Amino acid sequence: LFSFLLITVTAQEYEYVPFPDSSNVLWSEMYWKSISEPPPSWVYRNFKFFDEDTIINGIKYHKLFISNNIEITRENAVCLAMIREDSTKKVWMRNNTVGIWPSTNENGEYLLYDFNLKEGDTIDKEEDHLFCQSDKIILDSIRYITISNKLRKIYYFNYRWEIWIEGIGKIKGVVFRSGDLLTNGMDNDLICFHQNDTLLYYNSGPYGIYDDCVPSFVLNDVPVLSNKSIKVYPNPATEGIICFENLEYDVLELFDPNGNKVESYDIAGQENYSIDVSRLTKGVYVYRLNSKGFIPVSGKVVVQ
């Protein structure tokens, strides 16, 4: 649904697309629970505005609703947060539940997006509470994409999971916050975004596991994760070797603390596999196990 432009975009061709604020939009997302939790391993949910506004401290907000149902309605949804965009292209959010996140300004708001960032700009954790993995993140690049014959900006940060699409939000979810509540960190995916009943964004996921905006395994209530319990040891790794047991996956990937892929291993047909981490810098790494027909399993390993 996207086409990347390899041309120079002029000011006349590009026009900013504001963040949605009316009931004609719908975000469909998937949250993946920890492998230690009982099945099903997934929670499917929808986010939507219902043209319900509220005034707090003289500021107008749009109420964002959430539902775990396949189809979101006003009757089965609850208000998650209040959202507004200001004149500087910053999108602010107030929690509907006190204590989930710290507020970041005098209005008790949390900065969700800043679409006025330039390449090289940083966002400091202490100032905006946007991210947990690092004290700051850096906007690496801005590209232009076409969606329904209209140019939009797509923002790439120095963390691979932080990608913002103008007028839509993050590819990990509309109110996704890295590594923390509200959408439970890295195990979240924005599958589809609709506006005016038109599909503008679609993510098929690894190995095409999301075969529709409502995946077939959700419709059929089918647990898609392996029943095997994966064993990873030693963890922390002190001797330079990490062993994985009870596997039935095709690919093992390892990511460094910044989210960059370090290695990819072909483990198809192997129930046990060991990797050498002796050359890696000390720190916390994320592993991910992929296989067609299965949802990726991820976890953390410590290299000492």
Side-chain angles (χ1 to χ4, degrees), residues 74-240:
R74 182 62 186 87
E75 289 70 30
N76 66 29
V78 296
C79 181
L80 177 72
M82 283 75 73
I83 293 180
R84 72 178 179 96
E85 182 174 5
D86 65 21
S87 60
T88 66
K89 302 179 184 178
K90 289 184 177 181
V91 179
W92 298 92
M93 184 176 74
R94 288 181 62 98
N95 302 309
N96 194 41
T97 303
V98 176
I100 292 181
W101 288 331
S103 60
T104 63
N105 64 14
E106 65 276 8
N107 295 318
E109 299 173 313
Y110 163 80
L111 181 61
L112 192 58
Y113 299 101
D114 184 354
F115 291 109
N116 199 36
L117 292 174
K118 305 295 189 300
E119 291 182 359
D121 284 353
T122 62
I123 303 176
D124 293 325
K125 172 184 173 184
E126 291 80 4
E127 294 178 1
D128 297 317
H129 294 274
L130 278 171
F131 306 94
C132 294
Q133 285 84 357
S134 176
D135 289 339
K136 65 175 61 178
I137 67 163
I138 303 171
L139 178 57
D140 278 342
S141 64
I142 297 177
R143 304 175 193 173
Y144 289 87
I145 59 174
T146 54
I147 301 178
S148 295
N149 298 318
K150 189 175 182 63
L151 285 176
R152 301 187 189 214
K153 289 181 179 179
I154 181 167
Y155 299 72
Y156 292 88
F157 294 87
N158 60 325
Y159 287 91
R160 60 179 178 81
W161 51 82
E162 281 303 330
I163 300 176
W164 304 356
I165 302 173
E166 181 183 292
I168 295 179
K170 304 178 185 181
I171 64 168
K172 300 298 287 183
V174 58
V175 292
F176 171 80
R177 184 186 185 212
S178 297
D180 207 347
L181 299 170
L182 203 56
T183 52
N184 295 283
M186 292 174 60
D187 298 321
N188 206 74
D189 290 309
L190 173 62
I191 303 175
C192 289
F193 174 79
H194 286 83
Q195 190 164 21
N196 296 322
D197 296 322
T198 300
L199 179 63
L200 300 184
Y201 173 87
Y202 171 59
N203 165 32
S204 62
Y207 301 99
I209 193 69
Y210 304 135
D211 52 6
D212 203 341
C213 290
V214 183
S216 57
F217 63 84
V218 173
L219 286 172
N220 299 323
D221 195 26
V222 177
V224 291
L225 272 179
S226 166
N227 291 325
K228 286 191 173 184
S229 298
I230 299 166
K231 185 178 180 181
V232 182
Y233 68 93
N235 193 10
T238 56
E239 301 298 328

Side-chain angles (χ1 to χ4, degrees), residues 234-288:
N235 193 10
T238 56
E239 301 298 328
I241 296 294
I242 297 180
C243 302
F244 294 79
E245 291 186 357
N246 238 15
L247 300 173
E248 50 181 37
Y249 292 88
D250 295 332
V251 178
L252 167 62
E253 297 172 305
L254 192 66
F255 299 88
D256 68 16
N258 293 325
N260 303 308
K261 186 185 293 186
V262 176
E263 293 287 354
S264 181
Y265 308 92
D266 182 0
I267 60 171
Q270 302 193 53
E271 186 172 345
N272 303 318
Y273 196 82
S274 299
I275 62 175
D276 184 358
V277 295
S278 59
R279 64 179 181 81
L280 298 180
T281 303
K282 295 180 180 179
V284 179
Y285 291 77
V286 174
Y287 68 83
R288 185 169 65 190

Side-chain angles (χ1 to χ4, degrees), residues 26-32 42-48 65-72 80 172-173 175-176 180 182-185 187-192 213-215 218:
L26 173 68
W27 294 267
S28 302
E29 301 181 13
M30 185 69 69
Y31 159 56
W32 295 102
W42 43 262
V43 176
Y44 180 81
R45 51 200 178 184
N46 289 299
F47 296 80
K48 184 177 178 61
F65 290 81
I66 182 175
S67 173
N68 288 352
N69 292 62
I70 292 176
E71 181 178 357
I72 185 172
L80 177 72
K172 300 298 287 183
V175 292
F176 171 80
D180 207 347
L182 203 56
T183 52
N184 295 283
D187 298 321
N188 206 74
D189 290 309
L190 173 62
I191 303 175
C192 289
C213 290
V214 183
V218 173

